[in-house]
Amino acid sequence: MITEKVRHAMNEQITHELESFYVYLSMAAYFHAQNLDGMAHWMRCQAHEEMIHAMKFYDHILDRGGRVTLADIKQIKTTWEKPLEPWQDAYEHEKFITGKIIDLAKICRAENDYTSEPLLAWFLNEQIEEEKNTDKVCRDLATVENSKEGILMLDRELAARVFTAGSPLDPAAYNLVA
Ligand SMILES: [Fe+2]
Ligand SMILES: [Fe+2]
């Protein structure tokens, strides 16, 4: 069984992860409109990954006999001034999400919920990757800023992101994600 406090906090985290999905999909749409299809591709991969994150919490609640209740997703940003800005927002967003996972870990500890620890450890590790990846692109873009050739080069590089997970709705498929 899952305590009500943990269930509630994990439900909120599902919404944050689905918000992340929406944020990255919006960034993908912006990059498509800017003719930066490599960056758009990276964002679409990330959006897929965020749906998987949401489902990991969703299934964890269900597996422990809890009820999932989804909340509203707020309106998110749809446009930016230049390619660097969505990446900066993505980095800030990931730092916010890391804080949320830490809050969740604190709640689980306070509730003596040791069963959640492997899941939360997975997410804490995942957040290291998320912050590192988005920060790296920010720094690369800051280096080449205003250089069209530099932006195009990075766009081509980001087009190479490979994402092999299957459907985010199928635990057997989404568990492939490291
Ligand atoms: Fe996430
Ligand atoms: Fe990731």
Side-chain angles (χ1 to χ4, degrees), residues 3-13 61 69 104:
T3 70
E4 187 46 32
K5 271 192 187 158
V6 172
R7 188 197 71 85
H8 179 74
M10 284 193 181
N11 254 303
E12 282 190 339
Q13 192 59 35
I61 293 173
T69 47
L104 202 46

Side-chain angles (χ1 to χ4, degrees), residues 46 49 53 126 129-130 133 161 178:
Q46 190 61 31
E49 199 178 298
H53 292 172
E126 175 64 14
E129 184 211 36
E130 306 295 50
N133 288 345
R161 179 173 180 182

Side-chain angles (χ1 to χ4, degrees), residues 6 22-23 25 66 74 85 92-94 144 162-163 168 171:
V6 172
Y22 217 45
V23 162
L25 200 59
K74 60 180 188 312
E85 286 179 4
E92 290 307 313
H93 183 74
E94 289 305 338
V144 303
V162 177
F163 191 72

Side-chain angles (χ1 to χ4, degrees), residues 20-169:
S20 303
F21 163 78
Y22 217 45
V23 162
Y24 286 117
L25 200 59
S26 184
M27 290 172 176
Y30 163 79
F31 283 126
H32 280 303
Q34 300 299 308
N35 198 34
L36 292 168
D37 291 341
M39 292 193 187
H41 165 78
W42 194 99
M43 290 295 174
R44 288 169 78 125
C45 291
Q46 190 61 31
H48 187 171
E49 199 178 298
E50 295 305 338
M51 186 100 91
I52 291 167
H53 292 172
M55 292 311 293
K56 277 180 181 280
F57 283 112
Y58 186 107
D59 282 336
H60 185 82
I61 293 173
L62 290 183
D63 288 347
R64 297 182 65 196
R67 170 82 164 94
V68 171
T69 47
L70 300 179
D72 287 354
I73 292 176
K74 60 180 188 312
Q75 177 62 49
I76 42 105
K77 223 163 145 176
T78 56
T79 194
W80 291 265
E81 290 294 316
K82 53 184 177 179
L84 173 61
E85 286 179 4
W87 291 101
Q88 285 171 330
D89 284 358
Y91 180 44
E92 290 307 313
H93 183 74
E94 289 305 338
K95 285 192 279 185
F96 165 77
I97 294 292
T98 301
K100 287 290 163 193
I101 303 285
I102 290 169
D103 288 347
L104 202 46
K106 283 181 190 162
I107 291 167
C108 289
R109 287 215 172 162
E111 293 282 293
N112 290 325
D113 185 340
Y114 303 109
T115 308
S116 296
E117 281 186 7
L119 179 75
L120 294 177
W122 186 92
F123 272 99
L124 287 168
N125 276 321
E126 175 64 14
Q127 285 310 117
I128 296 174
E129 184 211 36
E130 306 295 50
E131 288 188 25
K132 184 180 142 197
N133 288 345
T134 46
D135 182 40
K136 171 71 178 140
V137 180
C138 285
R139 282 185 288 117
D140 286 349
L141 272 169
T143 306
V144 303
E145 190 153 28
N146 297 324
S147 148
K148 287 197 173 97
E149 293 82 0
I151 291 171
L152 209 58
M153 208 182 72
L154 255 171
D155 185 66
R156 296 289 141 87
E157 198 180 296
L158 291 163
R161 179 173 180 182
V162 177
F163 191 72
T164 48
S167 164
L169 299 179

